[in-house]
Amino acid sequence: MAVRDDDCGRRALTERWSRTTGSSYGTPGLALVRGAGATVVDDTGRSYLDLVGGGLANVLGHAHPAVVNAVSTQAATLGQVSSRDVAESTVLLGELLLALTGPGRVVFTDSGAEANETAFQVSRLTGRSQVVATTGAFHGRTMGTLAFTGQPGSTHPFRTLPDTVTQVPFGDVQALRTAVSDATAMVILEAIQGENGVVVPPPGYLAAARTICTAAGALLVLDEAQTALGRTGHWFHHQSEGIAPDFVTLAQGLGGGLPLGACLAFGAAADLLATGAHGTTVGGSPLSCAAGLAVVRTIAGTGLLDHVKRIGDRLRTGIEAVAHPLLDEVRGAGLLLGIAFTEPVAVPVTDWLRAAGFLVDAVQPAVIRLAPPLVLTEEQADAFVGAFARALVADPGPRAAARLLVPGAA
Ligand SMILES: Cc1ncc(COP(=O)(O)O)c(C=O)c1O
């Protein structure tokens, strides 16, 4: 049967999506057709400020010239190579990541779930099988990573999952100490729990986890899918705590929008990774790694770490200054911020903001996540703060929604 694009092209993209696509994310709100920096344009020609950053993947924003050039050049030079051969961009990116962290090894993957799956699989080579993870955590949607994802909504439909996992409350040092034993192969933690509503652990928690793991001979895996590569104003968020994990897993921003994840291992864990226990056909493809190189070089070469700290502070203080009774707190670090409400109004506020031209993520019923491209400008940050203030103060929408959602709410 001949298939022509214009057979379907007359219907709205979102309608076509609903007819054809399976996804756990629900029907898309917008059909986006192009972007530049932190701005995107939908199929009606309307512009939005994108504070979601392509699910945190577009760290340099849309169509950044460095990524466009690197990918175009790589695509015009050398495509995928077999797993028996290697291309320079893959080696260079691995070397750069290790230069930013410490001597070790890297296995590239296509996604964050696979990066965590790699650590999980390799941790079995210690001869131990038990895993300690945290409630509220999100680590991916493979059967292995679902087992240590602490969000029942994501995991329950797929039971029975690997049963070697103990969940403890995130941020609770004593609970971690009690759960970790000499049967524990690995402890896996997010540096900041992103999907759970940008939950920041108490100061010293990651350092305590390091001490507990070392004492028990367990591997410490830090899932930095959301927090690495400048997102919090540091190359890796754990570096701000001065700790040395055994594994760090990456995804999201690493490929600058192309599919790319990585599992980094240090010390004895690097020897486990060197066994070649894990692999994937296009993980670390020359194309994705060319994009990754452009991302890392641009962050380093344009002072983006300092920029993130400055713009992140500006956003946070601007939002805090809105000082509305619905606003509980602003938390997070750099440009990974959670706006927590006193009522479950994240969805109506997100809808109002979208109608006003600002894309944010209602990551929990009472929390909006902001994870804009790192290149967000001062003017864009201020424009968002202004819109947010109007959403809460001037416009009755969210407050009316709050009254609807929470009987008795002001
Ligand atoms: C902390 C964390 N780890 C892992 C993943 C899974 O990454 P991917 O969707 O690339 O498989 C995510 C995705 O949101 C994440 O937030």
Side-chain angles (χ1 to χ4, degrees), residues 223-235:
D223 180 343
E224 292 235 40
Q226 297 207 11
T227 51
L229 297 172
R231 172 61 57 198
T232 68
H234 307 273
W235 280 111

PDB file of all heavy atoms in Angstrom, residues 223-235:
ATOM      1  N   ASP A 223      22.310   8.669  40.566  1.00  0.00           N
ATOM      2  CA  ASP A 223      21.591   8.918  39.322  1.00  0.00           C
ATOM      3  C   ASP A 223      21.527  10.433  39.128  1.00  0.00           C
ATOM      4  O   ASP A 223      20.763  11.123  39.812  1.00  0.00           O
ATOM      5  CB  ASP A 223      20.186   8.310  39.429  1.00  0.00           C
ATOM      6  CG  ASP A 223      19.362   8.512  38.171  1.00  0.00           C
ATOM      7  OD1 ASP A 223      19.724   9.371  37.345  1.00  0.00           O
ATOM      8  OD2 ASP A 223      18.333   7.822  38.030  1.00  0.00           O
ATOM      9  N   GLU A 224      22.352  10.925  38.219  1.00  0.00           N
ATOM     10  CA  GLU A 224      22.403  12.374  37.958  1.00  0.00           C
ATOM     11  C   GLU A 224      21.782  12.704  36.600  1.00  0.00           C
ATOM     12  O   GLU A 224      22.185  13.675  35.946  1.00  0.00           O
ATOM     13  CB  GLU A 224      23.854  12.868  38.039  1.00  0.00           C
ATOM     14  CG  GLU A 224      24.442  12.808  39.437  1.00  0.00           C
ATOM     15  CD  GLU A 224      24.997  14.151  39.895  1.00  0.00           C
ATOM     16  OE1 GLU A 224      24.376  15.195  39.616  1.00  0.00           O
ATOM     17  OE2 GLU A 224      26.063  14.126  40.527  1.00  0.00           O
ATOM     18  N   ALA A 225      20.798  11.881  36.191  1.00  0.00           N
ATOM     19  CA  ALA A 225      20.147  12.129  34.903  1.00  0.00           C
ATOM     20  C   ALA A 225      19.613  13.559  34.833  1.00  0.00           C
ATOM     21  O   ALA A 225      19.691  14.206  33.792  1.00  0.00           O
ATOM     22  CB  ALA A 225      19.032  11.119  34.663  1.00  0.00           C
ATOM     23  N   GLN A 226      19.059  14.046  35.950  1.00  0.00           N
ATOM     24  CA  GLN A 226      18.477  15.390  35.924  1.00  0.00           C
ATOM     25  C   GLN A 226      19.444  16.454  36.412  1.00  0.00           C
ATOM     26  O   GLN A 226      19.237  17.635  36.138  1.00  0.00           O
ATOM     27  CB  GLN A 226      17.210  15.427  36.790  1.00  0.00           C
ATOM     28  CG  GLN A 226      16.116  14.520  36.275  1.00  0.00           C
ATOM     29  CD  GLN A 226      14.715  14.980  36.658  1.00  0.00           C
ATOM     30  OE1 GLN A 226      14.497  16.076  37.148  1.00  0.00           O
ATOM     31  NE2 GLN A 226      13.746  14.114  36.404  1.00  0.00           N
ATOM     32  N   THR A 227      20.458  16.071  37.178  1.00  0.00           N
ATOM     33  CA  THR A 227      21.213  17.086  37.918  1.00  0.00           C
ATOM     34  C   THR A 227      22.611  17.364  37.363  1.00  0.00           C
ATOM     35  O   THR A 227      23.273  18.282  37.842  1.00  0.00           O
ATOM     36  CB  THR A 227      21.353  16.655  39.400  1.00  0.00           C
ATOM     37  OG1 THR A 227      21.847  15.300  39.448  1.00  0.00           O
ATOM     38  CG2 THR A 227      20.026  16.726  40.118  1.00  0.00           C
ATOM     39  N   ALA A 228      23.054  16.581  36.375  1.00  0.00           N
ATOM     40  CA  ALA A 228      24.433  16.761  35.886  1.00  0.00           C
ATOM     41  C   ALA A 228      24.506  17.792  34.767  1.00  0.00           C
ATOM     42  O   ALA A 228      23.498  18.317  34.305  1.00  0.00           O
ATOM     43  CB  ALA A 228      24.983  15.419  35.399  1.00  0.00           C
ATOM     44  N   LEU A 229      25.722  18.048  34.342  1.00  0.00           N
ATOM     45  CA  LEU A 229      26.016  18.868  33.165  1.00  0.00           C
ATOM     46  C   LEU A 229      25.461  20.286  33.274  1.00  0.00           C
ATOM     47  O   LEU A 229      24.802  20.800  32.373  1.00  0.00           O
ATOM     48  CB  LEU A 229      25.512  18.170  31.897  1.00  0.00           C
ATOM     49  CG  LEU A 229      26.226  16.832  31.635  1.00  0.00           C
ATOM     50  CD1 LEU A 229      25.588  16.085  30.498  1.00  0.00           C
ATOM     51  CD2 LEU A 229      27.707  17.055  31.383  1.00  0.00           C
ATOM     52  N   GLY A 230      25.739  20.889  34.412  1.00  0.00           N
ATOM     53  CA  GLY A 230      25.445  22.306  34.576  1.00  0.00           C
ATOM     54  C   GLY A 230      24.060  22.623  35.094  1.00  0.00           C
ATOM     55  O   GLY A 230      23.799  23.760  35.483  1.00  0.00           O
ATOM     56  N   ARG A 231      23.189  21.647  35.136  1.00  0.00           N
ATOM     57  CA  ARG A 231      21.797  21.918  35.516  1.00  0.00           C
ATOM     58  C   ARG A 231      21.683  22.623  36.869  1.00  0.00           C
ATOM     59  O   ARG A 231      20.839  23.497  37.055  1.00  0.00           O
ATOM     60  CB  ARG A 231      21.029  20.572  35.514  1.00  0.00           C
ATOM     61  CG  ARG A 231      19.638  20.567  36.055  1.00  0.00           C
ATOM     62  CD  ARG A 231      18.677  21.458  35.333  1.00  0.00           C
ATOM     63  NE  ARG A 231      18.557  21.193  33.913  1.00  0.00           N
ATOM     64  CZ  ARG A 231      18.036  22.076  33.049  1.00  0.00           C
ATOM     65  NH1 ARG A 231      17.602  23.250  33.470  1.00  0.00           N
ATOM     66  NH2 ARG A 231      17.959  21.788  31.768  1.00  0.00           N
ATOM     67  N   THR A 232      22.548  22.221  37.837  1.00  0.00           N
ATOM     68  CA  THR A 232      22.461  22.848  39.165  1.00  0.00           C
ATOM     69  C   THR A 232      23.588  23.866  39.380  1.00  0.00           C
ATOM     70  O   THR A 232      23.830  24.283  40.510  1.00  0.00           O
ATOM     71  CB  THR A 232      22.489  21.778  40.291  1.00  0.00           C
ATOM     72  OG1 THR A 232      23.795  21.172  40.312  1.00  0.00           O
ATOM     73  CG2 THR A 232      21.412  20.723  40.089  1.00  0.00           C
ATOM     74  N   GLY A 233      24.295  24.210  38.299  1.00  0.00           N
ATOM     75  CA  GLY A 233      25.404  25.158  38.420  1.00  0.00           C
ATOM     76  C   GLY A 233      26.738  24.474  38.663  1.00  0.00           C
ATOM     77  O   GLY A 233      27.751  25.152  38.900  1.00  0.00           O
ATOM     78  N   HIS A 234      26.747  23.131  38.620  1.00  0.00           N
ATOM     79  CA  HIS A 234      27.980  22.352  38.770  1.00  0.00           C
ATOM     80  C   HIS A 234      28.018  21.354  37.622  1.00  0.00           C
ATOM     81  O   HIS A 234      26.981  20.979  37.082  1.00  0.00           O
ATOM     82  CB  HIS A 234      27.980  21.583  40.100  1.00  0.00           C
ATOM     83  CG  HIS A 234      27.726  22.457  41.282  1.00  0.00           C
ATOM     84  ND1 HIS A 234      28.720  23.134  41.941  1.00  0.00           N
ATOM     85  CD2 HIS A 234      26.556  22.801  41.893  1.00  0.00           C
ATOM     86  CE1 HIS A 234      28.195  23.849  42.913  1.00  0.00           C
ATOM     87  NE2 HIS A 234      26.882  23.670  42.905  1.00  0.00           N
ATOM     88  N   TRP A 235      29.213  20.857  37.306  1.00  0.00           N
ATOM     89  CA  TRP A 235      29.245  19.825  36.266  1.00  0.00           C
ATOM     90  C   TRP A 235      28.396  18.630  36.703  1.00  0.00           C
ATOM     91  O   TRP A 235      27.588  18.112  35.937  1.00  0.00           O
ATOM     92  CB  TRP A 235      30.684  19.385  35.977  1.00  0.00           C
ATOM     93  CG  TRP A 235      31.402  20.344  35.084  1.00  0.00           C
ATOM     94  CD1 TRP A 235      32.437  21.165  35.415  1.00  0.00           C
ATOM     95  CD2 TRP A 235      31.112  20.592  33.695  1.00  0.00           C
ATOM     96  NE1 TRP A 235      32.803  21.902  34.313  1.00  0.00           N
ATOM     97  CE2 TRP A 235      32.016  21.574  33.244  1.00  0.00           C
ATOM     98  CE3 TRP A 235      30.184  20.076  32.792  1.00  0.00           C
ATOM     99  CZ2 TRP A 235      32.019  22.049  31.936  1.00  0.00           C
ATOM    100  CZ3 TRP A 235      30.180  20.544  31.485  1.00  0.00           C
ATOM    101  CH2 TRP A 235      31.087  21.519  31.067  1.00  0.00           C
TER     102      TRP A 235
END
